[in-house]
Amino acid sequence: MSRQRVVAALSVCALVLMLAISAMPQRSAPTAQTDDQTPGIPKFYAESRQILVEADVWGKTREKGEHPWIGGENLRSRLERQIIEQLVPVSRALEKEDFHIFDNGIEQKINYFKESDFPAFDNTNHWYMVPSIEGTWGIYDDGPHYGPPEASYMIGYVPPPSAPGKCRTLKVVVEGHDVEVNRDSYCVQGSGSGNIEALAGEKIGNRMREVAQSSKPMRDVAPPSKQGSSDITLHASTLWSSGVLTVARESLPSVDPPVVGTDFTYVVEVHDSKAPATVQITAGFDFYSWRNWDYPCKKNPALYILGIAYKANGDVAGQFADTYSCLGAIRLSEHYRDPQGLGGVYIPLRFDTQLALRPGDYDLVVVVGDGDYFHRAKMPLHVETLDPQRLMVSDLVVAGIVRYAGWVFREAAAVNPAPVVPSPLVSKDSQYFPDSDQTTHLGKHTPLYVYFEIYEPQIESPGIKVYYQWRITDQKTGSVVISTEQVSAADWMIPGNVVIPVGLTVNTERLKKGFYKLELLAADSGGARVGLASS
């Protein structure tokens, strides 16, 4: 990243669209408390002494003549509505006393309880983000499919003490009802980050490390039938901040557990200048010849990913690893009552994660494969030094997916006490995921979504004001085609926080077919001025 200027390459044509997906909204919005962890890199997390479980509840049977609630969303066809109306009705308006939650078979006292009802909806051409403790997988549903109505209950409790690396079982019971939980166990984080051998076995793990270190061209690693035409695309963005999410509780004078607050606030914290930066990494992979696994997952096929950041001397500076299995996807489909698994199981098209890296230059290598064949991508990576005493800006993130930020809390409940990885990029009520294409492609009427952070150490100084401005230039001629005057960043400021997370929707209607770059500049009323850049 260049500190003087952040540049994002854009390609505009009439036929190609950048993905900009808005997920169904949910009622709960995120919240915050202070981070009292030991010194280090702040992380987005659900408080480790609070376990959250999401449970969907249905009735056992459908009474004759009963018309179950499906909500008022517009569905694609009358047939879809008729099919959904034949499902067993969801169970709304249940009370905390109706639920029993068990941790390793022992019932726990519920200290957080919230219901959210979701209507049936058409989920064709939607992204599903599936979190794990190592990162977030992205699955694209091109349908046609529908999402059934849900009565979803978020349940929290304080778990028994458990040693790092240990896992415990979860079970939720509601008498007289069917219950599906978002997970049946949780694990206390150990030190296994990046351990592909533990996830995939020694044979596959060793092979992936060989591919990562190999200098052979990809045709010698994967046969043409498994190579696809796009292989792997990589994007990396350096930020010096992290989000924090905890479960807030109201302390009320009562013998019973305190009543739990239902509102959540998202707060962004800046790293100490001596701490490593957070480098968010997006790997896109669309191997056209194997987009789906056959149902019902014979031999349980899986997708494996390994990423390694190498220093100039060849030492490993950081690594990540994860796996996504066909059977795991089936369990997810069953949880959401999604019938897509009947014909085939979608294979993920992207993986988002993060590494903690100190300032310097690295080579990032990512290997993706199915255990038999592998694909490899490599990119140079530069991490800038944070100067905590002056105005600075992060890398620019061009977003391919933008959705309601309330989903962050729902996903935190799927992985806590581990953090959500990568730390969510949230501005106001929107969450931004980087575009996974090699070059951002825009359709004629498609806006450009961008996210960046301004770091203003003087934000609490009397009278200090922060501004930004952007412009788009034609890469061929160098001429400015769209630009703005200075715009106040006040609407994005978080009281008491030196990080200003900015999410913009840039209107590109005036752009003709061609290649462009986007440049942004930040300044404050004290005279500080800095450019922001990305490649």
Side-chain angles (χ1 to χ4, degrees):
M1 182 187 78
S2 168
R3 200 162 46 200
Q4 274 63 52
R5 182 175 302 239
V6 174
V7 180
L10 310 177
S11 168
V12 179
C13 65
L15 300 178
V16 186
L17 299 178
M18 179 183 75
L19 295 172
I21 309 300
S22 296
M24 289 293 294
Q26 68 182 73
R27 292 182 180 178
S28 56
T31 49
Q33 293 177 351
T34 57
D35 184 354
D36 56 1
Q37 290 183 315
T38 56
I41 304 172
K43 293 182 177 180
F44 188 94
Y45 66 98
E47 172 60 47
S48 60
R49 291 297 295 156
Q50 178 80 11
I51 295 297
L52 295 172
V53 182
E54 184 180 9
D56 286 356
V57 186
W58 295 266
K60 288 281 188 181
T61 59
R62 179 174 179 274
E63 300 295 332
K64 185 176 181 180
E66 181 180 10
H67 297 284
W69 175 83
I70 65 171
E73 294 292 327
N74 184 31
L75 301 178
R76 291 169 63 89
S77 69
R78 182 178 299 178
L79 177 60
E80 282 185 352
R81 179 175 290 272
Q82 291 174 345
I83 292 174
I84 294 174
E85 287 176 342
Q86 298 305 311
L87 297 175
V88 174
V90 298
S91 299
R92 299 193 293 163
L94 297 177
E95 303 292 338
K96 181 175 74 172
E97 291 71 25
D98 296 320
F99 288 77
H100 304 273
I101 187 165
F102 299 86
D103 185 304
N104 263 12
I106 300 174
E107 187 167 3
Q108 305 295 311
K109 187 165 251 185
I110 296 172
N111 70 359
Y112 178 79
F113 182 82
K114 182 177 179 65
E115 176 183 358
S116 296
D117 298 325
F118 301 95
F121 72 103
D122 179 6
N123 64 358
T124 301
N125 298 327
H126 274 63
W127 279 96
Y128 288 94
M129 311 310 287
V130 183
S132 75
I133 63 174
E134 296 288 347
T136 299
W137 298 91
I139 294 94
Y140 188 67
D141 183 353
D142 55 5
H145 295 128
Y146 63 87
E150 289 183 72
S152 176
Y153 296 85
M154 197 71 74
I155 305 164
Y157 68 95
V158 177
S162 187
K166 298 296 183 180
C167 298
R168 304 176 68 90
T169 61
L170 289 170
K171 184 177 181 181
V172 175
V173 175
V174 180
E175 293 186 13
H177 295 76
D178 286 332
V179 181
E180 286 283 350
V181 293
N182 61 342
R183 51 178 173 166
D184 55 15
S185 66
Y186 70 92
C187 300
V188 179
Q189 263 194 313
S191 57
S193 180
N195 190 344
I196 187 63
E197 290 80 7
L199 294 169
E202 291 289 336
K203 182 179 179 181
I204 293 177
N206 291 339
R207 176 64 177 136
M208 294 185 76
R209 291 192 185 278
E210 290 175 1
V211 173
Q213 297 172 359
S214 174
S215 59
K216 295 181 179 179
M218 282 311 303
R219 63 176 178 269
D220 296 331
V221 179
S225 63
K226 289 283 187 175
Q227 283 180 14
S229 60
S230 63
D231 287 343
I232 305 172
T233 58
L234 296 178
H235 292 273
S237 303
T238 300
L239 303 102
W240 297 283
S241 68
S242 299
V244 176
L245 173 70
T246 61
V247 176
R249 296 180 216 133
E250 297 176 17
S251 297
L252 299 180
S254 173
V255 177
D256 295 325
V259 176
V260 180
T262 56
D263 293 329
F264 289 80
T265 303
Y266 181 82
V267 168
V268 178
E269 292 188 348
V270 70
H271 293 176
D272 183 273
S273 59
K274 297 180 181 179
T278 296
V279 180
Q280 296 216 359
I281 298 166
T282 298
F285 30 86
D286 190 351
F287 309 125
Y288 298 101
S289 59
W290 48 303
R291 281 188 172 182
N292 300 282
W293 288 311
D294 293 331
Y295 182 82
C297 298
K298 293 180 180 178
K299 298 183 179 181
N300 189 25
L303 194 66
Y304 306 96
I305 188 167
L306 170 66
I308 304 174
Y310 292 101
K311 298 179 182 178
N313 62 2
D315 291 346
V316 175
Q319 59 184 326
F320 62 85
D322 206 359
T323 180
Y324 184 91
S325 72
C326 184
L327 286 177
I330 288 296
R331 285 193 292 270
L332 179 72
S333 297
E334 290 172 347
H335 168 60
Y336 287 108
R337 293 293 198 268
D338 186 343
Q340 64 99 359
L342 295 177
V345 180
Y346 287 121
I347 297 174
L349 298 180
R350 61 182 291 154
F351 183 75
D352 293 83
T353 190
Q354 65 189 36
L355 289 175
L357 296 175
R358 297 190 179 280
D361 294 298
Y362 304 89
D363 282 326
L364 175 65
V365 179
V366 174
V367 178
V368 181
D370 63 356
D372 293 321
Y373 304 107
F374 301 96
H375 304 253
R376 182 187 65 241
K378 181 178 180 180
M379 68 171 289
L381 179 62
H382 177 71
V383 178
E384 194 68 61
T385 301
L386 169 66
D387 184 346
Q389 303 303 317
R390 69 181 185 88
L391 181 75
M392 293 192 71
V393 288
S394 72
D395 277 342
L396 171 67
V397 176
V398 177
I401 303 172
V402 181
R403 65 175 187 173
Y404 174 56
W407 281 93
V408 172
F409 180 56
R410 209 173 181 188
E411 290 170 359
V415 296
N416 80 308
V420 175
V421 178
S423 179
L425 304 180
V426 171
S427 179
K428 294 186 177 180
D429 61 354
S430 296
Q431 182 185 8
Y432 297 80
F433 288 87
D435 191 358
S436 60
D437 289 340
Q438 189 69 51
T439 300
T440 299
H441 299 279
L442 297 177
K444 181 63 178 177
H445 302 290
T446 306
L448 176 67
Y449 299 93
V450 296
Y451 173 93
F452 61 96
E453 295 175 353
I454 303 173
Y455 308 100
E456 174 54 276
Q458 309 301 321
I459 200 165
E460 294 186 347
S461 299
I464 197 73
K465 296 181 180 180
V466 181
Y467 305 92
Y468 69 86
Q469 62 185 111
W470 57 264
R471 67 181 184 182
I472 295 177
T473 59
D474 188 315
Q475 285 190 308
K476 184 177 180 180
T477 66
S479 60
V480 177
V481 292
I482 305 177
S483 65
T484 68
E485 300 297 328
Q486 284 191 342
V487 180
S488 172
D491 286 346
W492 284 270
M493 289 183 179
I494 301 172
N497 206 290
V498 300
V499 182
I500 306 173
V502 181
L504 300 178
T505 302
V506 178
N507 190 332
T508 59
E509 286 278 343
R510 292 164 51 189
L511 295 182
K512 298 178 181 180
K513 183 177 179 181
F515 290 87
Y516 300 86
K517 63 181 178 182
L518 172 67
E519 302 169 287
L520 291 103
L521 186 74
D524 65 23
S525 54
R529 188 177 177 89
V530 63
L532 133 91
S534 168
S535 57

